[in-house]
Amino acid sequence: MNIITRKFDTLVIGAGGAGLRAALQLSHADAKVAVVSKVFPTRSHTVAAQGGMNAALGNVTPDNWHWHMYDTVKGSDYLGDQDAIEYMCRAAPDTIIELEHFGVPFSRLENGRIYQRPFGGQSQNFGGDQAARTCAAADRTGHAMLHTLYQQNIRAKTHFFDEFFAVDLLKNKAGDVLGAIAYDIETSEKIIIEAKTTLIATGGAGQLFRTNTNASINTGDGMAMALRAGIPLQDMEFFQFHPTGVAGKGMLITEGVRGEGGYLINCDGERFMERYAPHAKDLASRDVVSRAIAIEIREGRGCGSNKDHVLLKLDHLGSDVIKKRLPGIRDTSLTFLGIDPIEEPIPVFPTAHYTMGGIPTNRNGEVVVPMGIGGEEVIPGLYAAGECACASVHGANRLGGNSLLDIVVFGRAAGNHIIDFLKSHHYHQILADDCIDEALARLERWENPLHKQDEESNNSSESYSVPQLKEELQQVMEEKCGVFRTEKVLAEGVEKVKQIKDKFEHAYITDHSVIFNTARVEALELENLIEIGLATVISALARKESRGAHSRVDYEIRDDESWMKHSLYYMNDHRLNYKPVHTKALSVDTFPPKERVY
Amino acid sequence: MLFTIYRFNPETDETPYMQEYDLSEIKPGTMLRDALLRIKNEQDESLSFRHSCGEGVCGSDGMNINGTNGLACVTSVDGLKQPIIIRPLPGMPVIRDLVIDMTQFYTQYRAVKPWLIVKDPIPEVEFKQTPEQRDKLDGLYECILCGCCSTACPSFWWNPVKFRGPAALLQSWRFLADSRDQATAERLEELEGPYKLYRCHSIMNCVDVCPKNLNPTKAIGHIKKLMLKNML
């Protein structure tokens, strides 16, 4: 192999909150860390998180981690693993304090402590009064966190490979992961990064859907790398639709708007959430609010000339609160709609937002797969954290404010576990020459200018541009795998996405240049996205119940008897497997499933 | 709608050139980024530019639009004079088309030590900060490192190595202004001399172009004032 090879203790793929938090832990422990990111780290999508991060600090309302755990288990519609949830909720307060010490500019209360706001699905005392658990830096919490974590990493001298695209994991015959192959987007130079441990922290795949709140980089690259390495993806049928994306455009309007006292109205001016969730109203869980909006619109109570959205009213909060606590979404509304929310409500619609499923891990961030007799065997040296992973703390529906928490808690936990692992693994394993062949073939396909001509001379009607196929995929996913699902529509979705995968064999790009070729990046991203689309729609077709974000019109009831289990989707043969939910917590009693009302 | 866009691919072009594109059926309110994506997807896949979040928070798509630096994703094409002339951010090496090499910009950012420095023992709870103390960070911490300001600054064009530039100095003040930070003396000392800070001549291009409405000139003024106060 005449490809540059670099050796590190740990390779972190992805420079969002999870990757940077892990890298920081490792750099502090003097491990040699390489962070590979396809964008400059502060451009990672953590930067766009708005409302905040949950931790039972109790700065505003009485609180404790056990109540946070209850809310998270209930929010997950009982599909979350209770051991991992207990771990996360217990770790939350310390993790937040640590971030504050790193420099995150949290908003403050009069007594100088961190400001906390109410968010959806939060309660005191196991389902009692609304809690205020979400620590916020105005409505730019993700930005504040990501920049701080990057700053701490440059202080700790973490080694960054900025604008490098990771292509595939490298494996030996025994199935151990020994690093990854990537290339420099600026020069197209390939690089092998050998590592004793590899952490995948590449984020979600919101680009699957036409209207989404996600950045264009959110194409599920790490999840697809895992699939190609033979690792299944867990619970991919659960995709969160955020109730308040800007109607028709998709920009996120934080749940913090409702946390600060905003509410949704239909065309009659009715505060309709009172009917769907009499107790929590607009601060019910996201799946509940998204479905309510969809029903209002379906039943003809939508707003606007096409009756295709509802309104988020916040003018009653007053200009001071909006300018102080929600300046970012005011900017967004002014820029994209020309609407000042101080005076007028914002048109909103449920918008694809968050991938609950992902690479199966335990609470140390270790990737676990069914091998041998047990259902969850660790792949030594391979870790995943953040939105690309499934620990599973979000189960069938993530609570707002638990995502920023997830990335720092499990980024940190993975970092700590890697430090331990390195103590007993001093040497790099030997890399076989042929382990990169497949990845190289995938790369070379886009380097060859003859490819398109070949295709066209063979059969000119059968070639597709990459943007054209991406649009088709997003359209299919939106139509066939949205808020409400049925057997028939999902089955059509599976067929359509399979067809898109076939068409991708005949996809072409016209730009074969070497320097900063963004067309090639997009082709590789689409290849990843198609695999995630298949995982999502196939897992969704198989699950014959309604739970959390997966809402089947033909199976309206949650079926704990048959379906309180995690799905595992394998790329080979599109096979599905299942494993039990961890209902046993670490130290407290199990929260048994019960009817979920807000 | 007509566009004139700076093109340069070092593999094939000896010199940069301007290329014209015509885009029809543009809906009112279309952002420039979406228009560029349409050009790329429908007409010319080889047109290269960075972009990601599409809502002005990731800072990827800074470019020079009709002579003014800005973010493509939050600039509506409606109000722009045609043909819309698009160039890379000025004063930096061009990698390709609208993609610039931001190495020098990031080097200056790192040079101001943009991280909280605390010397006292760390408590088990948060450092206390009053809302008034926290208010001092508003208008500073929101920087997205898009580079619009520093690449609009004549002083930075002339002295990109010696002058820290508006973006880095805004960050410097962000930490000087933070009630939790305990490295004021070192931070100020680091900025002494005729160039690092004092090359700012209050031209205020940075203020005009900042897509987040931040004010680096004002921050630089605060640093100068603090330096003076500490000297007396």
Side-chain angles (χ1 to χ4, degrees), chain B residues 158-208:
Chain B
W158 287 110
N159 293 290
V161 179
K162 290 177 175 172
F163 176 47
R164 295 279 178 250
L169 290 169
L170 184 86
Q171 285 310 299
S172 181
W173 179 245
R174 178 249 173 273
F175 287 96
L176 282 164
D178 195 322
S179 60
R180 302 169 294 175
D181 192 81
Q182 297 179 324
T184 305
E186 296 96 300
R187 290 185 191 280
L188 292 177
E189 200 187 316
E190 184 63 34
L191 291 174
E192 273 176 11
Y195 283 100
K196 291 172 183 166
L197 171 71
Y198 281 95
R199 274 294 112 168
C200 168
H201 299 308
S202 305
I203 300 165
M204 295 184 71
N205 282 2
C206 54
V207 185
D208 290 341

Side-chain angles (χ1 to χ4, degrees), chain A residues 158-394:
Chain A
T158 300
H159 192 90
F160 284 97
F161 290 88
D162 295 336
E163 296 185 326
F164 276 63
F165 191 94
V167 181
D168 263 319
L169 300 172
L170 303 179
K171 285 172 71 180
N172 66 7
K173 292 267 182 312
D176 300 335
V177 172
L178 311 181
I181 177 164
Y183 77 92
D184 183 348
I185 296 172
E186 183 181 334
T187 63
S188 289
E189 187 161 38
K190 298 175 191 80
I191 179 171
I192 288 172
I193 298 181
E194 280 189 55
K196 298 169 200 168
T197 50
T198 301
L199 170 70
I200 306 173
T202 49
Q207 283 301 322
L208 268 181
F209 295 87
R210 192 173 63 97
T211 309
N212 65 71
T213 64
N214 281 205
S216 57
I217 54 172
N218 295 139
T219 51
D221 302 333
M223 291 188 265
M225 276 183 247
L227 279 177
R228 285 192 293 268
I231 296 160
L233 294 183
Q234 182 176 327
D235 295 340
M236 290 302 288
E237 60 271 44
F238 300 101
F239 203 98
Q240 180 163 80
F241 292 83
H242 194 291
T244 58
V246 170
K249 298 179 186 252
M251 294 84 192
L252 175 66
I253 302 294
T254 176
E255 189 164 306
V257 169
R258 284 169 285 138
E260 297 288 345
Y263 54 85
L264 296 160
I265 51 176
N266 60 20
C267 66
D268 303 324
E270 183 206 6
R271 187 174 178 182
F272 59 86
M273 279 313 298
E274 288 176 340
R275 274 188 278 121
Y276 296 88
H279 184 64
K281 303 186 178 80
D282 295 81
L283 287 177
S285 246
R286 286 181 179 170
D287 56 335
V288 175
V289 181
S290 283
R291 274 194 294 273
I293 296 172
I295 292 169
E296 288 300 298
I297 291 167
R298 200 171 59 189
E299 294 180 355
R301 293 187 294 277
C303 304
S305 49
N306 296 325
K307 292 187 165 291
D308 57 359
H309 60 265
V310 296
L311 295 172
L312 178 59
K313 180 174 148 53
L314 65 159
D315 57 293
H316 58 283
L317 300 180
S319 137
D320 288 350
V321 169
I322 293 174
K323 285 181 182 164
K324 182 110 194 139
R325 302 291 184 211
L326 305 163
I329 62 98
R330 181 173 178 240
D331 274 358
T332 298
S333 180
L334 283 165
T335 305
F336 291 96
L337 296 164
I339 287 176
D340 187 345
I342 290 174
E343 279 145 22
E344 272 181 85
I346 307 174
V348 294
F349 188 77
T351 305
H353 184 56
Y354 186 87
T355 317
M356 256 86 67
I359 303 164
T361 72
N362 60 22
R363 64 178 183 276
N364 301 319
E366 296 170 285
V367 175
V368 290
V369 295
M371 281 189 301
I373 40 167
E376 296 186 318
E377 263 68 48
V378 167
I379 298 183
L382 183 63
Y383 296 78
E387 192 172 341
C388 71
C390 187
S392 145
V393 286
H394 309 306

Side-chain angles (χ1 to χ4, degrees), chain A residues 507-522:
Chain A
Y508 65 86
I509 56 176
T510 52
D511 183 1
H512 302 284
S513 55
V514 169
I515 308 288
F516 219 98
N517 184 336
T518 49
R520 186 167 69 219
V521 171
E522 283 168 30

Side-chain angles (χ1 to χ4, degrees), chain A residues 39-40 42-45 47-48 50 57 59 94 97 99-114 137-140 143-144 147-148 150-152 154-155 162-163 186 213-217 249-252 324 327 331-332 335-336 465-467 508-519 522, chain B residues 9-11 28-29 31 33-34 37 40-41 44-60 73-76 95-96 99 101-102 105-106 109-110 114-118 122-132 134-135 137-138 141-147 171 174-175 178 180 211-213:
Chain A
V39 293
F40 181 76
T42 64
R43 325 265 181 238
S44 307
H45 197 52
V47 80
Q50 298 175 352
L57 296 176
N59 288 356
D94 283 349
I97 297 299
L99 286 174
E100 196 278 333
H101 292 163
F102 290 157
V104 174
F106 285 110
S107 299
R108 298 289 170 155
L109 298 161
E110 281 306 322
N111 64 8
R113 306 198 70 176
I114 294 170
D139 59 354
R140 303 186 173 106
H143 171 282
H147 279 251
T148 301
Y150 179 62
Q151 292 161 349
Q152 288 294 329
I154 48 181
R155 176 192 205 174
D162 295 336
E163 296 185 326
E186 183 181 334
T213 64
N214 281 205
S216 57
I217 54 172
K249 298 179 186 252
M251 294 84 192
L252 175 66
K324 182 110 194 139
D331 274 358
T332 298
T335 305
F336 291 96
S465 81
V466 166
Y508 65 86
I509 56 176
T510 52
D511 183 1
H512 302 284
S513 55
V514 169
I515 308 288
F516 219 98
N517 184 336
T518 49
E522 283 168 30
Chain B
N9 180 351
E11 292 165 74
M31 293 296 168
R33 166 197 185 242
D34 299 313
L37 281 172
K40 185 174 173 62
N41 293 344
D44 186 352
E45 209 169 35
S46 71
L47 175 65
S48 295
F49 56 99
R50 297 185 177 106
H51 68 96
S52 181
C53 74
E55 52 186 36
V57 292
C58 78
S60 300
C73 62
V74 291
T75 303
S76 164
I95 293 173
R96 174 178 177 174
V99 179
D101 180 351
M102 292 182 77
F105 175 82
Y106 297 137
Y109 172 69
R110 286 196 301 271
W115 51 79
L116 193 70
I117 298 175
V118 178
I122 308 274
E124 84 294 3
V125 294
E126 67 263 58
F127 299 125
K128 298 289 194 304
Q129 192 172 48
T130 66
E132 293 71 33
R134 170 59 184 75
D135 283 351
L137 306 183
D138 284 341
Y141 83 96
E142 300 94 323
C143 173
I144 57 173
L145 298 177
C146 62
Q171 285 310 299
R174 178 249 173 273
F175 287 96
D178 195 322
R180 302 169 294 175
K212 306 307 282 183
N213 295 315

